[in-house]
Amino acid sequence: MGKRETKIESLMTEYNTELYGRFASTIKFLLEQLLSQNGFRAQFVSARAKDVASLRKKIKNNGAYSEMKSITELDDLAGCRIIFYIKEDIDRVTPLIRKDFKVINHKLHYSTNSYNATHIIVSLKKDRLKLTEYSAFTNLKCEIQLTTVLHHAWAELEHDVIYKPDQGLFEFAPEVFESIKGRFTDVMEKHIKEAQRSFDYIFEELEKLEQGKKVFDKTFVTSIEDAASNNAIHERLKLLLQYIEQYGDNPPPRY
């Protein structure tokens, strides 16, 4: 066994799949609490520890990784993914994650095929690590991926159809294979992006409608009567007028 192979085996021996699996599940639990406490509408939250075979292949195929001093230098041994319906929720949850965890790195992931997601590398803060149930996770990092359901579905399809199969399809017919890859990009540019904008608009209008309904509830009228100051009364009446003008005589316009 050569020097490089020996180093790879040493790194792999250091990787504790069970520990990273528990760490990923813990981060998932904390994220689910954060989402629930702040009223987010998430489609799915998942957690995973990196597959051993996948990790070995990653280190073997990249010489820089085999020069690492410790396997803990990798950021994605533990991973969580939150899939939202709309992009606005990604923008809203990001500062909450930054507040709840120690953020090591935060980047927007843009690929050449137009897929994008937010990747945040986190570890647990010191106050949590002092607790017995979290102490084993000292110095561990987790990659949190934030994306929308449409981008996620497209990325999963592309990964399974284009990148995952190792069947020599590109070598067999490179022009045809490149054409298929191009069609995936076209779907993103011509359909997925437009659909995402439409969903964002629909959810924005739905939220306005829900807020408008609350304004017309009896509890809102009571809040005007119980307002502590003239300024508070003014702000509530201003909000009431806004929704009366929008929904009082006519239903919301169809999209």
Side-chain angles (χ1 to χ4, degrees), residues 92-159:
R92 289 199 302 124
V93 80
T94 298
L96 297 178
I97 291 175
R98 297 186 68 89
K99 182 179 179 181
D100 214 35
F101 297 90
K102 178 183 177 182
V103 174
I104 299 168
N105 193 9
H106 176 192
K107 58 185 177 181
L108 298 178
H109 177 75
Y110 293 103
S111 63
T112 55
N113 51 26
S114 300
Y115 169 75
N116 61 76
T118 297
H119 291 192
I120 306 176
I121 311 300
V122 305
S123 60
L124 296 179
K125 288 187 173 182
K126 290 182 179 180
D127 56 344
R128 274 207 175 105
L129 291 172
K130 291 178 181 178
L131 302 176
T132 304
E133 60 267 37
Y134 298 120
S135 59
F137 305 136
T138 301
N139 296 326
L140 299 191
K141 295 178 287 187
C142 179
E143 180 183 64
I144 302 174
Q145 297 182 6
L146 310 174
T147 189
T148 64
V149 62
L150 289 179
H151 277 80
H152 172 70
W154 180 90
E156 288 293 297
L157 274 171
E158 189 198 37
H159 179 263

Side-chain angles (χ1 to χ4, degrees), residues 52-215:
V52 172
S54 175
L55 176 59
R56 185 186 299 276
K57 183 178 180 180
K58 178 177 181 176
I59 297 174
K60 186 177 180 180
N61 292 344
N62 191 318
Y65 289 136
S66 63
E67 298 301 319
M68 294 185 300
K69 294 182 179 180
S70 171
I71 198 72
T72 58
E73 293 179 32
L74 291 175
D75 292 335
D76 62 346
L77 297 179
C80 288
R81 179 177 292 165
I82 309 177
I83 303 173
F84 292 100
Y85 290 104
I86 57 175
K87 183 180 179 300
E88 181 186 356
D89 283 343
I90 296 176
D91 299 332
R92 289 199 302 124
V93 80
T94 298
L96 297 178
I97 291 175
R98 297 186 68 89
K99 182 179 179 181
D100 214 35
F101 297 90
K102 178 183 177 182
V103 174
I104 299 168
N105 193 9
H106 176 192
K107 58 185 177 181
L108 298 178
H109 177 75
Y110 293 103
S111 63
T112 55
N113 51 26
S114 300
Y115 169 75
N116 61 76
T118 297
H119 291 192
I120 306 176
I121 311 300
V122 305
S123 60
L124 296 179
K125 288 187 173 182
K126 290 182 179 180
D127 56 344
R128 274 207 175 105
L129 291 172
K130 291 178 181 178
L131 302 176
T132 304
E133 60 267 37
Y134 298 120
S135 59
F137 305 136
T138 301
N139 296 326
L140 299 191
K141 295 178 287 187
C142 179
E143 180 183 64
I144 302 174
Q145 297 182 6
L146 310 174
T147 189
T148 64
V149 62
L150 289 179
H151 277 80
H152 172 70
W154 180 90
E156 288 293 297
L157 274 171
E158 189 198 37
H159 179 263
D160 288 349
V161 174
I162 300 296
Y163 293 104
K164 192 173 183 179
D166 187 14
Q167 302 169 347
L169 298 179
F170 177 78
E171 291 77 8
F172 175 71
E175 292 183 0
V176 176
F177 192 76
E178 286 297 328
S179 175
I180 293 173
K181 287 176 63 177
R183 291 183 184 182
F184 267 94
T185 301
D186 286 344
V187 169
M188 170 60 76
E189 290 294 334
K190 297 178 181 179
H191 303 290
I192 299 295
K193 284 187 174 181
E194 181 58 35
Q196 186 63 62
R197 285 191 288 267
S198 297
F199 276 129
D200 289 346
Y201 175 83
I202 290 169
F203 274 89
E204 180 182 349
E205 290 300 300
L206 180 62
E207 185 175 342
K208 289 180 181 178
L209 189 61
E210 291 173 345
Q211 291 174 349
K213 182 179 180 299
K214 291 178 182 178
V215 168

